[in-house]
Amino acid sequence: MTAINTDFGKDLSKYGAFDFNACYNCGTCTAVCTLSTEEDSFPREMQRFSVLGLEDDLKGSLKPWLCYYCGQCTTYCPQNANPGELMMSLRRWLISVYDWTGLSGLLYKSLPATTAGMILIAAVVLFYSFSVDFDLSRIMHTGHTFEIIAIVGVFSIILLPNLIRMWWFIILKPRIQVPVINYLKALWDLIVHMFTQKRALGCDDNELRWFEHFILVLGYLGLLFTTVFLNWFSSDSVFVIVMGYIVSIIVFTVTLIFVYDRIRKKDEISKYSQPSDWLFIIWLTAMGLSAFIVRLFIDTGLLENNKWLYLVHLIILAQWALIIVPFGKWTHFLYRSFAMYFHRVIS
Amino acid sequence: MKKKLGVYICHCGGNISDYIDVEKVRAAIENEEGVFLAKTTMFACSDATQKEMVQDIETNDLDGLVVASCSPKLHLITFRAVTERAQLNKYNYVHANIREQGSWAHSDDKEGATEKAVQLVKAAVAKVRLSKSLEPIKIPSKKAVVIIGAGIAGMRAAIELAHMGCPVTLIERDHFTGGRVAQWDILFTSDQTGREIVSRLYNEINNSKNITLLTGAEVISNKGSIGNFRLQVKIKPRYIKDHFDDDKLKKVIAVCPVEVPDEYNFNVTNRKAIYQNPGQYPKYPVIDIKNCTRCGECEKVCDNIDFSLKEEVIEVEAGSILVATGFDPYIPQDGEFGYNEIDNVITLPQFKRLIDLCHNDLLFNGKAIKSIAYIYCVGSRQSEGENKYCSRYCCTSAIHTSIQVKKNFKNVKNFHFTRGIRTYGKQELLYYESQKDGDIYLQSYEENPLMVSTENGKICVKINDILTGNREISVEPDLVVLVTGIVPRSDTSISQIFKLPGGRDRFFNEIHPKLRPVETVIDGITIAGTCQGPKNVTESLNSGLSAATKSFSLVNKGELELEPIIAEIDKNKCTWCGECEKACPFDAIRMVKQGDKDVAAINNSVCKGCGMCLPVCPVNAINLISYSDKEIESMIDSLAGKG
Amino acid sequence: MNRRSASILVFSTEKISDPAIDMAGLLKLHYPPTVYTISVPCSSGIKPRWILHAYNKGFDGVFIAADGSDCTFGESCTEKTGNIVSKTHEIMKEKKLDPARLRMAAICSVCSESFVKQIKSFNEYLLKTIKS
Amino acid sequence: MAGKNKTTSFDALVIGGGIAGGEAALNIANNGYKVLIVEKDLSLGGKMILLSKVFPTLDCAACITTPKISEISRHHGITIFTGTEVQNIVKKAEKHFRVQIKKKPRYVIEEDCTACQLCEQACPVVVKDEYQYNLVGRKAAFIPFTIASPRAAAIDIENCTLCGACEKVCPTKCIDFTQEEEIINIDVQTVIAATGFSLFDPLRIPRYGYGKYRNVITSMEMERQLAPTRPYNTVLRPGDGKVPDRLAYVLCTGSRDFTTGNPICSQICCMYSIKQAQLLMGALPMADVTIYYINIRSFGKGFEEFYEQAKGMGVNFIKGKIGKITEKDNGNLFLRYEDINENKLKESEHDMVILSVGVLSNPDNALFFNGDKLWLDQLGYINQPEPLSSPAETTVKGVYVAGSAAGPMDIPDSILSAGAASAAAISYIIEAK
Amino acid sequence: METEKGKTFKYLRERREVPEKAKENLKKYIRIKKMILDALQKKEMTITQLSQELGIPGHEVVFYLMTMLKYGLVKTGTVDDMDEYYTYKLAD
């Protein structure tokens, strides 16, 4: 027996969902969705669970991650109940559920909290720089060390426990019996989905989107690799330098396209933007662009007289690494890949 | 005996000809005695065929017409009109029903059906051979209409008739007008309140010269018929001499020691033995004599009270009667979804009164109500019970009420337990508004009804929600509202007095839902509003106004034409035994002197042509026109194939 | 004589039972095609001599589809129709006709199913007596 | 008719000769007033006369409509203009409306035509027959349909090749190509708008494939296939003439749908679909009929019982709206939907699909009063300012609305509404100022 | 001026162009009618068979054939064993 919780809907609307209560359960959304299948029918079921506030069912569901937001459901919804945006909001909500720190939820729901966090990080970076008398090489060195620590730290302290929680919600809590071998067999899927978001191809008219994502992931991981492991800003290798340029250009061009789409609001996916969406794409653009300019300034010998430029880059980087990656939209990329992985493991 | 008959056999576009070989029928009867021409036609009722018939009758000087087609209920009048246009008396037309009682009834046996059709047409021919020209009996029709029931349909019809210049007597059994609508607060679609509408209508009625309003009045019998109904109306006194002002009323109510459940509020509150609710008209209190203890307290504070007033019976005459007696809200049985067994389970009408009475907070039995479960289709669409029908207004009414609740009171949650919402037409927008506003809708099927129970002192409503994959979902509401449907009035006195037939659903039956939706089989009586079937306010008004038009056309000309099919006495045979007088239910037979002999005589305008006097005559001196021994027996001859 | 169905004359009433018989057709509830209907205003106006005439002319049975309590001409209809039937039964006995060849049932305006049921059972009875 | 044409003043003008307009006209005329009916189409009877049978009584629609129509056309107090449009109405004063109407040429002298159909046989042209909803062809010289009233030929001048064949064979010489459009001014005391409704065009929902997949048809096309004067003499798929045996109804096509601009329920589709399903079970005893629905709205007198009867006959009812339709090579159709009861996405195969198209307002409603005071509601229906006390009233005193011009309505409701409109019109005429 | 009765089409022909669409429409009907009649001359055929033989889409065959049925040029033959397709033949 399940009890209804009408307050859940109010909570969910803080994650961006709206008008989903208008649903009269005709099932059009499920029927027009190209990714929906007999085994996994959505989004109506998610819509229904959200209206009734069946949190436990939602927590253990992978369906929000199976959706790639082509927007057909929203376009054809006869009641304007916006199932596409509901699925997006559910993903945001799920991230806050998986996150043991509770910060995800706070940052999603509260723009002031997010702003405060951003300012705090900027302040710490500036304070540190001030404490070392704005010695560029020391700052750059610390910056590089910070990157390494941040990656390892964020992953082991926040993301890994969250992934374990996700596993618990999806497989352990509902007591789904899974042979261990499945975990191994499904590993390939994890990698494929992480890089390609292959399923998005099933969405109508979306081949360009899949390509954009693929290039962006390549660019992003490339930038991470070049800056952290090849130490791009300090490297003398022409190969590394050129590669850094290329990947950073990829990152900021692709993200600029995203920004443009969100401003234009033409497609369903980019019609409704939450602060977290804006933060993600703006910071990613800014990161690619600032890294690009920093290296350009290094190569043209201008950086010494424009230390502020690196500081800006470092602030963006720190904010990115400490807020957006562990708690923000970046995690979609991670959880979605793991969702596909768990989905494979279960089936 | 006629010699020039025309016979038409209709294909009915296949309805007949798919099963009956109409050509064969035609061939079989074309040589019958007296048949001058026999034709088949695709649609006998079509304009072209009708024109053809007129032409055939005129050019060939036919003296009788038979059409074999569908049931005479549909087209007898049509073809009688054809003969009239061809200057042939309409009683020289005989109808043969070869569709409902031919092709359709025997679609499993084409040969048998064809054979039967031949016999039926032969019988019709036999009858028309003997038919006589008849002239309708003209009777005066009193230009006045009686409307029974001063609910919204009756009141509105009265006003319209008054506008048309027709005197109306509006008879209301209750002491106040307005019926159910007077009890409702804000209504869909214009957001006016029921009381506003009723007060407006009441004022119009009050100011109209043409309308006589009788409240506390009950029709107890009827002595007349179409054109001249004579109703005996019993008027109960209010035991109040003159109108008095609000202050006095307050005083009197204050001193009255009696408290009884207030039916105006569907018993959610009590009232005194002297009462008048603020929204009720006429603004004229009444003493409920059944519950009054005659303690005399009221008389002490008010001199307008007069217990010596007596019931009176008056006679009202009218040419036509419009019945708009309304409905009863369904009262759930004890234990039906916890009704009368679990506290805080009430019906929708009760709830509507409750929210009207609550001002700042929604309280029931002193407790604040924050969540409400509405259970739909209570008393309607029953798979087990006798109310198979949908009550039509309740989905919209419940949703509209739930929206009002949310508007008027803060933080109330609505849960709707439905069997599929039926907000037809523009009402759909209310359903949308309610959902968008966060109301929760759940649905189950009749096979799997929901359960209302109490657990730890809280009400619990459980449903297997088909919208959530048949999962059992529960809500613990503060109040359960049973969305009860419309049932026919339990008081059947009107249907007994006028012999108004009901349908399977026990509501009054119209003659035909499409052709004649407000007329009844009783000539001169129209029906309007919810006594005919569930309706919302607008629909009741439409039917009330329609009925007003129909009743108006019956009395407007001051004269009516009646069927001349009445009993006929063969005065030579009659020996006056008085049996026929006893048998006649209409008082239409009297003894008269014929020379030196006593014989029976028929009062033509009263005789209804039932024929009850026929079989009781020991000397077979009575025949019914058009159903004489000759006619019936020659039909039997033809049907038996020995004509 | 080997007949599929008996010939039955039905007296129906214009406002009550005839509509029910019409509706039987509308609903395609089949009954033997040798059932013929003559409709009269009210079942209490049927003369016994008409019924007897039908037997004389070869009808196997006569069925009165009576108004019953729905009669628009008054409550006495049921009783009066009953009287006609018992009177006719007596004459039939005198004439050595099987009284069971006359049946009566109240058929309301929507009693199509009951009409068809009645007619079918009457038909079976009549077929049996014809054969024996 | 020619004699009647000279009259330029009437007591009442009824716009629309469908069942509501006809009923209103009869009511008014029966009380001794002179009524003019202006009908845009070539025949009276509106949509109803084209139906097969009507729910829930299953009377044949023609059998109910034709007597009423012949009563109207024969009534001494009623004048009828078919093929005529109201162009403009101006209220000059109380009880005085000046109406301008445009009578389009029929190219046939109506009162001389005997409906012998010789011209129709002679005409060489074949075009789509709009009265059979394009399922079959008709000639350019044609009688609109068998039970049309007036039953007289007309020339479809847009498709006529002016070969003159019809004129040569006409025995009464009633074909007259010299006819021209007439503009007539008329004075009336009161106006009844009974302009009816229009049907939703399913081309506006491309994912259902109407127009592209030939075996996807509208409910009105099925109505014609089931009518006594049906075009194929049996029920056939328009794509290849196969007798269908798995039919599907798609309810709420263009109703209860904000994306098509029609958020309201059309009120009749559930019931007419159930009716057609019952008729199909009779016409094709081996066929399976499935109705895909959101909610079944069988709310009227006898409707719920009719719905139960359909279930009893074996009609399948599946809760779930069709999302999209795709076509197989053999012309069969795949329907994708969520079976709400089972909470599962499903696909089913049918060989014929009927889109139960919804009801929309008549776009002509806006035209008559050229920006005058006759208000329409947001959906284009004629606004009823007093739905709870005088439902027939409009925003112009003396103008009344009857039938589905005020909103979706079934036949009984239309007739009742026409009764209300005629009552209001009669008292408006009678009442002193 | 009174135009001669029975020849009024000439009057209108002077005043009005016959639309191209109407002319083409007529040609198409005459062409398809001939094709169908010729084909049915040989043997009774179903709509699918006609469509294949003549290379005309099924729905057009349905339209024209049913129109010809309406005007009495062809009539319905028998239905196949599966109760699926009727054949059509020339009217006598």
Side-chain angles (χ1 to χ4, degrees), chain B residues 239-255:
Chain B
Y239 303 102
I240 308 284
K241 269 189 297 196
D242 286 307
H243 168 82
F244 50 81
D245 59 38
D246 287 351
D247 282 345
K248 233 181 200 174
L249 180 64
K250 268 185 203 151
K251 261 191 236 160
V252 189
I253 287 178
V255 298

Side-chain angles (χ1 to χ4, degrees), chain B residues 335-470:
Chain B
E336 190 175 355
F337 300 111
Y339 189 72
N340 272 350
E341 281 179 4
I342 300 173
D343 289 343
N344 294 10
V345 176
I346 62 175
T347 65
L348 181 66
Q350 290 178 322
F351 183 59
K352 281 163 83 91
R353 291 306 308 141
L354 180 74
I355 56 174
D356 197 13
L357 295 167
C358 290
H359 293 296
N360 298 318
D361 297 301
L362 183 60
L363 299 174
F364 184 70
N365 287 342
K367 274 189 205 145
I369 302 297
K370 290 291 171 201
S371 63
I372 303 158
Y374 301 84
I375 298 178
Y376 285 65
C377 299
V378 178
S380 308
R381 300 174 67 192
Q382 294 174 325
S383 44
E384 302 294 318
E386 56 182 348
N387 303 338
K388 302 286 178 218
Y389 55 88
C390 163
S391 287
R392 187 167 186 155
Y393 94 110
C394 2
C395 279
T396 308
S397 178
I399 291 172
H400 183 251
T401 307
S402 74
I403 292 174
Q404 292 308 317
V405 169
K406 272 198 164 175
K407 276 188 188 155
N408 295 349
F409 309 101
K410 272 182 223 129
N411 298 327
V412 175
K413 287 173 188 161
N414 292 316
F415 300 94
H416 302 259
F417 292 81
T418 78
R419 290 204 8 220
I421 288 293
R422 294 184 165 173
T423 40
Y424 55 92
K426 296 177 189 171
Q427 300 169 120
E428 179 73 10
L429 295 173
L430 276 185
Y431 180 36
Y432 174 73
E433 182 187 341
S434 153
Q435 292 196 101
K436 202 177 156 184
D437 206 30
D439 277 18
I440 306 281
Y441 285 82
L442 303 122
Q443 188 185 343
S444 60
Y445 287 127
E446 46 278 30
E447 305 88 72
N448 208 345
L450 50 91
M451 294 283 299
V452 181
S453 57
T454 43
E455 275 169 28
N456 310 324
K458 289 223 68 172
I459 312 176
C460 182
V461 186
K462 279 183 220 159
I463 186 171
N464 287 310
D465 181 31
I466 57 168
L467 307 179
T468 322
N470 248 322

Side-chain angles (χ1 to χ4, degrees), chain B residues 19 71-73 97 99-109 112-113 115-116 119-120 496 499 501-504 509 521-523 565 582-586 608-617 620 622-624 627-629 632-637 639-640 642, chain C residues 4 9 11-19 21-51 53-59 69-77 80 84 87 109-110 113:
Chain B
Y19 311 104
S71 163
K73 276 109 215 147
N97 180 356
R99 194 177 72 172
E100 279 83 351
Q101 296 184 13
S103 64
W104 284 355
H106 311 299
S107 53
D108 57 337
D109 181 355
E115 191 49 37
K116 177 173 179 176
Q119 309 294 84
L120 288 175
Q496 278 161 12
K499 309 273 182 272
R504 265 186 285 195
N509 236 6
V521 289
I522 312 299
D523 293 338
I565 310 248
K582 273 189 256 167
C584 179
F586 302 102
K608 292 271 160 284
C610 63
M612 288 194 194
C613 50
L614 270 54
V616 300
C617 180
N620 196 26
I622 316 179
N623 266 317
L624 192 61
Y627 297 89
S628 67
D629 292 345
I632 298 280
E633 284 166 11
S634 69
M635 280 177 87
I636 294 174
D637 293 347
L639 291 177
K642 307 207 162 75
Chain C
R4 282 185 304 129
L9 179 66
F11 282 105
S12 67
T13 69
E14 276 156 12
K15 283 175 183 163
I16 315 277
S17 62
D18 207 50
I21 302 173
D22 278 358
M23 200 162 82
L26 188 72
L27 299 174
K28 310 268 158 81
L29 302 171
H30 298 136
Y31 54 90
T34 46
V35 173
Y36 302 92
T37 308
I38 290 181
S39 117
V40 295
C42 172
S43 53
S44 56
I46 297 167
K47 290 187 185 177
R49 61 175 276 169
W50 300 346
I51 301 170
H53 186 79
Y55 298 127
N56 285 341
K57 292 291 170 176
F59 272 100
S69 53
D70 291 352
C71 181
T72 51
F73 296 110
E75 287 153 32
S76 59
C77 173
K80 285 174 184 160
I84 295 167
K87 206 160 126 189
S109 57
V110 289
E113 282 174 32

Side-chain angles (χ1 to χ4, degrees), chain B residues 112-249:
Chain B
T114 305
E115 191 49 37
K116 177 173 179 176
V118 170
Q119 309 294 84
L120 288 175
V121 179
K122 280 184 181 172
V125 169
K127 184 169 180 184
V128 82
R129 270 201 300 261
L130 297 162
S131 70
K132 289 189 195 96
S133 299
L134 302 170
E135 285 310 320
I137 300 164
K138 289 195 175 166
I139 57 156
S141 178
K142 189 174 169 58
K143 188 166 178 175
V145 174
V146 160
I147 297 179
I148 303 174
I152 184 103
M155 289 170 92
R156 191 61 187 82
I159 293 168
E160 206 63 52
L161 282 164
H163 284 321
M164 295 179 192
C166 177
V168 177
T169 309
L170 180 57
I171 298 174
E172 170 56 50
R173 192 178 53 175
D174 198 358
H175 285 287
F176 302 100
T177 59
R180 299 294 172 201
V181 173
Q183 292 173 289
W184 306 147
D185 195 37
I186 290 176
L187 294 165
F188 178 68
T189 57
S190 68
D191 278 356
Q192 287 161 296
T193 68
R195 284 187 300 274
E196 276 164 27
I197 291 161
V198 169
S199 81
R200 225 166 66 194
L201 294 181
Y202 175 77
N203 286 333
E204 258 191 84
I205 286 171
N206 224 10
N207 295 332
S208 170
K209 295 190 302 279
N210 283 335
I211 305 176
T212 313
L213 171 67
L214 304 175
T215 53
E218 210 173 323
V219 178
I220 49 174
S221 68
N222 163 39
K223 288 203 183 120
S225 55
I226 182 166
N228 180 30
F229 287 101
R230 278 173 293 132
L231 305 183
Q232 274 57 53
V233 181
K234 181 172 80 184
I235 303 175
K236 290 171 282 180
R238 301 177 103 88
Y239 303 102
I240 308 284
K241 269 189 297 196
D242 286 307
H243 168 82
F244 50 81
D245 59 38
D246 287 351
D247 282 345
K248 233 181 200 174
L249 180 64

Side-chain angles (χ1 to χ4, degrees), chain A residues 198-210:
Chain A
K198 185 174 77 171
R199 261 175 68 88
L201 272 176
C203 277
D204 287 348
D205 314 324
N206 243 344
E207 285 179 34
L208 184 64
R209 200 177 117 205
W210 169 83

